[in-house]
Amino acid sequence: MQGYELEPDAQSVPVPVLGGKSVLGPQVRVALAGIRKGTHAHGIVQAVRDAVLDITDFRWLSRGDTVFVKTANSSPFRYPATTHPLAVVAVVGLLREHGAGRVIVGDMSGVRYLRFTPTSCTGSTRMLMADSGMAAAVLAAGGELHCFEEPGWDHFYEENPAPGSHWKYGLTMPAILREVRHIVLMPRCSRHVITGSTLGLKAAAGYWRPDTRLEFHRDASTLQEKTAEGNTVPTLLKKQRLVVSMAHKILTTVGPDRGHVFQPGYGLVLASESVVAHDMVALAWLLDNRRSVPFWRWDRWVDRSEYAARFANRLVTNWLGGWRTAMEGERVNKDPLNTIWDDRVLLRSYELFGGVPDILLAPANKDIVSGLRTRLARLTAPPPVYPPEKTEEPYLD
């Protein structure tokens, strides 16, 4: 069975980053819990618990604290097009066991399914979460649902990203985040027709009101850089504690909603305190599994074409701001992804968050098969440093 070949325009060797040099940041732990194919619901929940408990002892959580769990629920489709409900059940359970008061779970849908303006709202994130199985799972676990559009247009506040960012205006963040002490991010591992992938850093777009999303898509030449920069607003820097994703099924083509779902014999749960380190491993896992997809599932033109990415981005811009804005907007550049060092979202994040994390992969249960950790370590190993060099003062403290 022939799978994906290397993307023809991609670099075959990792490219240097940060001014022509690879700059190492601090060591960051990423926990890996294995999930054997066919594992039942209890085993899935346990694997998530194993990964999370390997990363944190919850000392940051005081009794009665309110925690927001940010999922990826941009569509009505089930996992892996959205966050796995059982993963959320596991995290909500752990938070409650360690003393959390309110645990609020939420997101805001993509514009394809939700049209939200200062005077109207058509569509419902809550209904999409019901369709994907998320709503019932959250309520059964003792959590609350919160959909950012429901309180209305004025229930957002503006924050600025890191100095020197490509954003022209501040980013609109939902008011509920001011009421919580901590944030846990729960993205997914998926291909994306516009950006190449959608992982933890891209999940920040779910916070933004449509006017911020319009700038994001309209000024598309720096869309990837703005994705990373969107994670540097003060709320996320101060409150985000943990990133957890289920990746025992991977949406390996097209995305973000549809494509070929591949399930390896052993899947993964990833957990880290660093969204950048998490995304490095998650992207390596996505690319590694793409190579196992049979050729008749490639969806070659839509999956890889820069023209398809540009059309999709103009369509989203039209939904947000009209056809004239869409046609006058910038063209998105979809870069081929052969290695994690081709990803502009990650490359920009290294500049913002103190360099390339020195990743320590930690097996969190017995279902990490032989060779898997070694393979992921090789795929996430940074390019050589010429000469060894430390970063400037990072934006993230």
Side-chain angles (χ1 to χ4, degrees), residues 10-157:
Q11 300 286 341
S12 60
V13 177
V15 296
V17 296
L18 303 187
K21 297 176 182 178
S22 166
V23 181
L24 284 178
Q27 187 175 77
V28 180
R29 188 181 180 93
V30 178
L32 307 176
I35 302 178
R36 188 194 302 262
K37 191 173 184 177
T39 296
H40 51 71
H42 175 76
I44 290 174
V45 170
Q46 186 58 52
V48 176
R49 292 175 62 91
D50 291 341
V52 172
L53 291 172
D54 188 83
I55 286 296
T56 183
D57 58 8
F58 291 96
R59 289 185 184 180
W60 46 266
L61 180 63
S62 298
R63 183 160 298 278
D65 283 356
T66 300
V67 184
F68 191 88
V69 178
K70 167 65 171 68
T71 58
N73 283 100
S74 61
S75 76
F77 300 107
R78 291 181 176 264
Y79 170 84
T82 50
T83 300
H84 200 307
L86 288 177
V88 178
V89 167
V91 169
V92 171
L94 282 168
L95 290 167
R96 298 301 296 270
E97 290 170 24
H98 286 83
R102 298 172 65 197
V103 180
I104 306 168
V105 180
D107 194 17
M108 185 163 65
S109 167
V111 69
R112 179 180 176 185
Y113 301 98
L114 178 74
R115 307 298 168 87
F116 179 33
T117 74
T119 58
S120 67
C121 184
T122 303
S124 167
T125 304
R126 188 175 296 265
M127 292 301 298
L128 299 181
M129 294 176 82
D131 291 341
S132 69
M134 181 63 71
V138 169
L139 297 176
E144 307 173 26
L145 288 175
H146 183 89
C147 304
F148 304 141
E149 78 275 9
E150 291 180 345
W153 189 266
D154 293 331
H155 286 259
F156 288 76
Y157 62 97

Side-chain angles (χ1 to χ4, degrees), residues 157-162 165-172 208-209 211-216 218-219 226 229-230 233:
Y157 62 97
E158 190 172 292
E159 288 192 315
N160 292 318
S165 80
H166 295 81
W167 290 93
K168 294 184 176 70
Y169 304 101
L171 279 64
T172 50
W208 305 331
R209 205 170 58 184
D211 47 345
T212 296
R213 296 185 187 190
L214 175 59
E215 181 186 346
F216 181 64
R218 182 196 63 216
D219 303 342
K226 291 200 292 289
E229 294 160 359
V233 294

Side-chain angles (χ1 to χ4, degrees), residues 81-374:
T82 50
T83 300
H84 200 307
L86 288 177
V88 178
V89 167
V91 169
V92 171
L94 282 168
L95 290 167
R96 298 301 296 270
E97 290 170 24
H98 286 83
R102 298 172 65 197
V103 180
I104 306 168
V105 180
D107 194 17
M108 185 163 65
S109 167
V111 69
R112 179 180 176 185
Y113 301 98
L114 178 74
R115 307 298 168 87
F116 179 33
T117 74
T119 58
S120 67
C121 184
T122 303
S124 167
T125 304
R126 188 175 296 265
M127 292 301 298
L128 299 181
M129 294 176 82
D131 291 341
S132 69
M134 181 63 71
V138 169
L139 297 176
E144 307 173 26
L145 288 175
H146 183 89
C147 304
F148 304 141
E149 78 275 9
E150 291 180 345
W153 189 266
D154 293 331
H155 286 259
F156 288 76
Y157 62 97
E158 190 172 292
E159 288 192 315
N160 292 318
S165 80
H166 295 81
W167 290 93
K168 294 184 176 70
Y169 304 101
L171 279 64
T172 50
M173 303 292 286
I176 188 68
L177 298 186
R178 285 179 162 168
E179 303 175 22
V180 307
R181 292 288 302 275
H182 316 285
I183 298 171
V184 175
L185 178 63
M186 298 195 67
R188 59 201 180 92
C189 185
S190 170
R191 185 76 164 164
H192 195 291
V193 69
I194 297 174
T195 59
S197 68
T198 176
L199 308 165
L201 291 160
K202 176 64 170 61
Y207 290 120
W208 305 331
R209 205 170 58 184
D211 47 345
T212 296
R213 296 185 187 190
L214 175 59
E215 181 186 346
F216 181 64
H217 287 280
R218 182 196 63 216
D219 303 342
S221 64
T222 55
L223 184 145
Q224 289 90 341
E225 289 75 16
K226 291 200 292 289
T227 299
E229 294 160 359
N231 288 265
T232 65
V233 294
T235 293
L236 298 184
L237 293 181
K238 293 175 182 177
K239 296 184 178 183
Q240 188 162 288
R241 312 289 180 224
L242 189 63
V243 186
V244 186
S245 64
M246 174 83 73
H248 77 310
K249 293 181 181 179
I250 304 100
L251 190 59
T252 54
T253 67
V254 189
D257 301 329
R258 296 184 181 275
H260 179 67
V261 175
F262 180 73
Q263 184 173 11
Y266 283 83
L268 290 178
V269 179
L270 309 174
S272 182
E273 294 177 336
S274 164
V275 65
V276 179
H278 168 278
D279 278 17
M280 289 173 67
V281 180
L283 182 56
W285 182 238
L286 168 63
L287 296 177
D288 195 45
N289 281 281
R290 271 171 63 83
R291 293 184 173 90
S292 298
V293 176
F295 70 88
W296 61 85
R297 296 287 192 180
W298 283 359
D299 301 305
R300 289 183 64 94
W301 189 82
V302 176
D303 181 77
R304 301 185 181 194
S305 170
E306 193 165 0
Y307 297 104
R310 290 172 180 172
F311 175 80
N313 190 66
R314 291 198 188 277
L315 183 61
V316 172
T317 307
N318 165 56
W319 288 334
L320 289 165
W323 270 118
R324 181 172 181 177
T325 300
M327 298 311 295
E328 292 175 350
E330 297 173 355
R331 295 193 308 180
V332 69
N333 296 310
K334 182 178 180 180
D335 302 303
L337 285 178
N338 184 38
T339 75
I340 68 169
W341 310 104
D342 301 316
D343 184 50
R344 285 165 50 199
V345 177
L346 281 173
L347 294 179
R348 179 60 174 141
S349 76
Y350 305 145
E351 298 174 329
L352 295 164
F353 290 90
V356 181
D358 179 13
I359 294 176
L360 174 63
L361 296 173
N365 68 3
K366 61 181 176 58
D367 285 327
I368 296 297
V369 296
S370 176
L372 176 57
R373 185 168 56 147
T374 301

